[in-house]
Amino acid sequence: NGPIPIVPAAQRRLKVVESIALDPRRRAIILRRDSTEHLVILGPSGETVVETGISAPHPVDQNEQSR
């Protein structure tokens, strides 16, 4: 058991994309690993995977967004 390597932010494969409080005890989060997203509910009794294998949205072109 050696030291845990620190991965630069640009090379990280795991990211919390969005998080929202559902109530005072539970949160819904979208996790992204590589190009796949997962919707998870976190609460005091554990976690529940609601949906998995969600394709990450493609970036919106700034020119299209202003139309």
Side-chain angles (χ1 to χ4, degrees):
N1 293 338
I4 298 172
I6 297 174
V7 179
Q11 295 178 354
R12 291 185 188 150
R13 297 178 59 209
L14 186 62
K15 178 181 179 181
V16 175
V17 175
E18 193 171 334
S19 175
I20 186 170
L22 299 174
D23 58 40
R25 298 170 50 104
R26 298 179 304 146
R27 295 192 79 71
I29 65 168
I30 296 176
L31 295 173
R32 180 179 297 146
R33 187 219 9 106
D34 299 332
S35 62
T36 304
E37 294 183 347
H38 310 277
L39 176 60
V40 180
I41 305 295
L42 303 176
S45 61
E47 65 282 333
T48 302
V49 177
V50 176
E51 188 174 2
T52 188
I54 306 165
S55 297
H58 298 289
V60 176
D61 183 6
Q62 295 295 343
N63 293 332
E64 275 190 39
Q65 194 172 22
S66 62
R67 290 181 189 173

